[in-house]
């Protein structure tokens, strides 16, 4: 009944033996701490245990941080998925690149999923396997410590048993009887009692020796295994760390490379959509109300002339606008060819019936610069002042005027700073090959009027201006 109450496989004798072992170990430790019993020490093994505990602590921290990192990757995956799906939902079907955007959103989700799974398979599982061996070794180290105490206790018991007093001839010296039974023993029985005591002493010595041998054998078996495993485990940490972080670095590099391609594709699609929106080129089936260009928003700046020099065809060697004198241009319209055209209303329609050849009116108006001639002449413009004509000098190579629609801040020393409303005199490039697509060169009208040749000349984006 007592055995049944103690549980399966546990007997009263075994339980008593375990209790006795614990008491003996506790007593041995107390004696060692008090300095009344020596303790077996192994300095090399103790250093191995210190390294083991350090390695276990570092590995546990690495495992914890890796799990936090994977949780962050999972969170980032969900956030990225929600953000891209929001873009896909808002992206109207008739906008440019709708199918491309949907494909990019799907590929992004797949890439995140693959990246997270590879980290789990090649980093987290490997980390769990690496740390899985530490609890067993830690348990065996604790068992070795207990067996070492048992060995010391058996050693001390064996020494104390063999410390019996011996006579000069080497025989065991029997102490005088002290108990009542010994005192009452007849003289003729003293020899029998002495033989009994000797037998008991021999039995105790034999038992102590056997106990010492058993304790030493058990301790040495577990000690030898740990002496081999601990240094090997300590040296394996370098290879494990290298393998783990190399794998993670490789997966991250590939992930960011592929993600960069998807982001670039999305960026390109959105740039084309932006250009269509700003140029008013609406996609097929789009509503004009959703694609109007706000005049308050400045247009995109063309690439800087200092960074982009596209090949340009050479300008013709001679041009009536630059090389011919104004009077020569005027003389081209002789009396026979000049029509009688009213220039007071540029928008008025001109009928073929208004042409009157060989009339005095046509001949008289031929030498007078017309509005059309003013646009064509680069160097001189005519301004009416109180009924009289006064010539206004323009800069060399003058082509036409523009008004600034948006403020423009110069990014280079060769660029022209402009404010909305400024009038700029556009001139020809000294070297036509230096002109970049989308850029003009000129000077502010007010600056030219005041400073003439000292006026600041610079390049500026054409789409920030409107031609007058």
């Amino acid at each position: 009944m007592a055995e049944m109450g103690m549980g399966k496989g546990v007997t009263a004798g075994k339980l008593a033996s375990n209790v006795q072992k614990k008491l003996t170990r506790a007593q041995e430790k107390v004696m060692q701490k008090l300095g009344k019993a020596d303790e077996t020490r192994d300095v090399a093994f103790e250093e191995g245990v210190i390294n083991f505990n350090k390695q276990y602590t570092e590995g546990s921290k690495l495992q914890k941080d890796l799990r936090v990192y994977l949780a962050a990757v999972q969170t980032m995956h969900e956030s990225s998925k929600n953000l891209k799906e929001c873009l896909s939902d808002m992206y109207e079907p008739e906008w440019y690149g709708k199918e491309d955007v949907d494909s990019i959103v799907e590929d992004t989700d797949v890439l995140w999923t693959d990246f997270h799974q590879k980290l789990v398979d090649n980093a987290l599982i490997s980390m769990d396997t690496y740390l899985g061996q530490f609890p067993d070794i830690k348990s065996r180290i604790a068992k070795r410590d207990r067996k070492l105490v048992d060995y010391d206790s058996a050693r001390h018991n064996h020494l104390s048993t063999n410390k019996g007093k011996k006579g000069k001839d080497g025989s065991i010296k029997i102490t005088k009887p002290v108990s009542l039974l010994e005192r009452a023993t007849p003289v003729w029985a003293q020899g029998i009692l002495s033989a009994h005591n000797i037998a008991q002493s021999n039995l105790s010595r034999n038992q102590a020796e056997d106990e010492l041998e058993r304790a030493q054998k058990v301790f040495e078996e577990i000690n030898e295994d740990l002496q081999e495993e601990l240094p090997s485990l300590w040296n394996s940490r370098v290879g494990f760390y290298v393998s783990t972080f190399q794998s993670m670095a490789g997966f991250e590099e590939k992930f960011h490379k592929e993600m960069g391609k998807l982001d670039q594709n999305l960026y390109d699609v959105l740039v084309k959509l932006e250009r269509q929106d700003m140029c008013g080129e609406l996609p097929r089936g789009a509503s004009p109300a959703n694609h109007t260009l706000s005049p308050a928003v400045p247009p995109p700046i063309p690439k800087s002339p200092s960074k982009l020099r596209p090949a340009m065809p050479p300008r013709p060697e001679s041009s009536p606008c630059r090389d011919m004198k104004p009077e020569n241009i005027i003389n081209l319209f002789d009396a026979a060819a000049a029509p009688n055209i009213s220039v007071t209303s540029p928008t008025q329609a001109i009928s073929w019936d208004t042409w009157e050849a060989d009339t005095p009116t046509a001949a008289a108006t031929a030498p007078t610069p017309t509005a059309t001639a003013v646009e064509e002449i680069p160097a001189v413009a005519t301004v009416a002042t109180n009924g009289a004509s006064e010539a206004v000098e323009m800069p060399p190579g003058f082509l036409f005027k523009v008004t600034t629609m948006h403020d423009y801040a110069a990014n280079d020393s060769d660029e022209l700073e402009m404010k909305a409303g400024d009038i700029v005199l556009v001139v020809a490039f000294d070297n036509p090959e230096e002109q970049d697509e989308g850029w003009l060169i000129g000077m502010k009208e007010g600056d030219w009027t005041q400073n003439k040749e000292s006026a600041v000349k610079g390049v500026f984006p054409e789409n920030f201006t409107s031609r007058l």
Side-chain angles (χ1 to χ4, degrees):
M1 295 296 294
E3 293 181 5
M4 294 178 60
M6 296 176 187
K8 184 178 180 180
V10 179
T11 62
K14 187 174 182 179
L15 180 61
S17 176
N18 292 334
V19 172
Q20 182 62 38
K21 285 183 179 180
K22 291 182 179 180
L23 292 175
T24 303
R25 290 168 185 163
Q27 182 181 3
E28 181 66 23
K29 284 184 174 293
V30 171
M31 297 295 289
Q32 290 176 353
K33 290 182 178 180
L34 294 176
K36 295 183 179 181
D38 61 321
E39 180 181 2
T40 303
R41 302 289 299 272
D42 187 341
V43 177
F45 182 83
E46 292 175 358
E47 291 179 355
V49 172
I50 293 175
N51 292 336
F52 169 83
N53 292 330
K54 178 182 178 182
Q55 185 178 1
Y56 193 16
T57 302
E58 292 176 349
S60 300
K61 184 179 183 303
L62 177 59
Q63 183 189 45
K64 178 182 178 181
D65 292 340
L66 181 59
R67 291 183 180 277
V68 173
Y69 174 77
L70 289 175
V73 170
Q74 184 66 28
T75 302
M76 189 63 188
H77 176 196
E78 294 296 331
S79 300
S80 174
K81 181 179 179 181
N82 294 337
L83 184 62
K84 292 296 192 300
E85 288 179 349
C86 180
L87 172 63
S88 179
D89 294 340
M90 295 187 301
Y91 211 95
E92 298 183 7
E94 63 272 11
W95 288 0
Y96 174 83
K98 170 60 176 176
E99 295 182 357
D100 294 335
V101 171
D102 292 341
S103 178
I104 292 172
V105 171
E106 182 179 354
D107 293 343
T108 301
D109 180 52
V110 172
L111 187 60
W112 272 109
T113 302
D114 181 68
F115 175 57
H116 181 268
Q117 189 60 45
K118 285 183 177 179
L119 289 177
V120 172
D121 294 340
N122 295 274
L124 183 60
I125 294 180
S126 178
M127 189 76 217
D128 293 343
T129 304
Y130 169 75
L131 286 180
Q133 55 189 333
F134 282 83
D136 176 66
I137 297 178
K138 184 177 181 180
S139 175
R140 289 159 59 197
I141 291 175
K143 183 177 181 181
R144 175 196 175 274
D145 292 341
R146 295 193 300 269
K147 296 305 178 182
L148 179 59
V149 175
D150 292 343
Y151 168 72
D152 286 341
S153 178
R155 182 168 56 84
H156 295 150
N157 183 40
H158 181 265
L159 290 176
S160 63
T161 304
N162 289 327
K163 275 188 177 180
K165 296 181 180 180
K166 297 183 179 180
K168 294 181 179 180
D169 56 354
S171 59
I172 301 299
K173 184 177 181 181
I174 304 301
T175 56
K176 294 182 179 180
V178 292
S179 64
L180 294 177
L181 178 61
E182 291 174 344
R183 291 177 182 179
T185 302
V187 177
W188 58 268
Q190 291 294 329
I192 298 175
L193 182 59
S194 176
H196 173 74
N197 291 335
I198 293 174
Q200 288 292 332
S201 299
N202 290 335
L203 179 61
S204 298
R205 285 197 296 271
N206 292 335
Q207 289 178 347
E209 186 173 354
D210 293 341
E211 183 180 352
L212 176 61
E213 290 179 355
R214 288 194 301 269
Q216 182 177 1
K217 182 179 179 181
V218 172
F219 169 75
E220 289 180 349
E221 286 179 355
I222 190 172
N223 183 64
E224 289 176 359
D225 293 339
L226 291 174
Q227 291 281 7
E228 295 178 359
E229 291 184 30
L230 291 181
S232 177
L233 180 63
W234 173 251
N235 295 331
S236 69
R237 74 192 192 284
V238 177
F240 174 76
Y241 296 156
V242 170
S243 175
T244 300
F245 283 96
Q246 274 185 344
S247 299
M248 293 182 62
F251 295 143
E252 287 185 355
E253 179 186 14
K254 183 178 180 181
F255 168 77
H256 290 299
K257 184 178 180 180
E258 296 298 326
M259 186 62 71
K261 293 180 181 179
L262 294 176
D263 290 339
Q264 183 62 49
N265 294 340
L266 179 60
Y267 179 84
D268 293 341
V269 171
L270 296 178
V271 166
K272 292 180 180 179
L273 176 63
E274 180 187 29
R275 289 176 180 173
Q276 287 191 348
D277 181 57
M278 300 191 70
C279 295
E281 300 175 1
L282 302 179
R284 184 177 302 174
S287 173
N290 295 333
H291 298 275
T292 56
L293 176 62
S294 174
V297 180
I301 302 174
K303 294 184 178 179
S304 174
S306 61
K307 299 180 180 179
L308 179 62
R309 300 290 182 188
M312 297 290 290
R315 187 181 295 275
E317 295 183 358
S318 62
S319 173
C321 297
R322 298 181 56 187
D323 301 334
M324 298 186 66
K325 296 182 178 180
E327 57 267 27
N328 293 338
I329 298 176
I330 296 173
N331 291 338
L332 292 176
F333 301 93
D334 55 11
N340 184 15
I341 303 174
S342 174
V343 296
T344 58
S345 178
T347 59
Q348 182 178 357
I350 300 176
S351 172
W352 285 104
D353 298 336
T354 61
W355 285 83
E356 298 180 4
D358 299 329
T359 62
T361 304
T365 58
T368 305
T370 63
T372 305
V374 172
E375 291 183 0
E376 298 292 334
I377 299 173
V380 179
T382 302
V383 179
T385 306
N386 296 328
S389 296
E390 179 182 354
V392 179
E393 183 182 2
M394 290 297 177
F398 171 73
L399 299 177
F400 51 86
K401 294 182 181 181
V402 295
T403 181
T404 306
M405 305 299 294
H406 306 280
D407 292 349
Y408 177 70
N411 297 319
D412 270 322
S413 59
D414 64 341
E415 296 182 8
L416 185 65
E417 187 93 10
M418 301 185 303
K419 297 293 184 181
D422 288 345
I423 303 298
V424 181
L425 306 178
V426 180
V427 298
F429 280 81
D430 295 336
N431 183 1
E433 294 183 358
E434 294 182 355
Q435 182 175 5
D436 297 310
E437 182 180 357
W439 289 80
L440 300 175
I441 187 170
M443 60 201 71
K444 295 181 183 178
E445 185 178 40
D447 192 11
W448 164 256
T449 303
Q450 295 179 4
N451 303 313
K452 298 300 181 182
E453 299 296 336
S454 300
V456 177
K457 182 171 67 173
V459 296
F460 56 90
E462 183 179 4
N463 57 354
F464 272 58
T465 63
S466 176
R467 182 167 176 171
L468 295 177

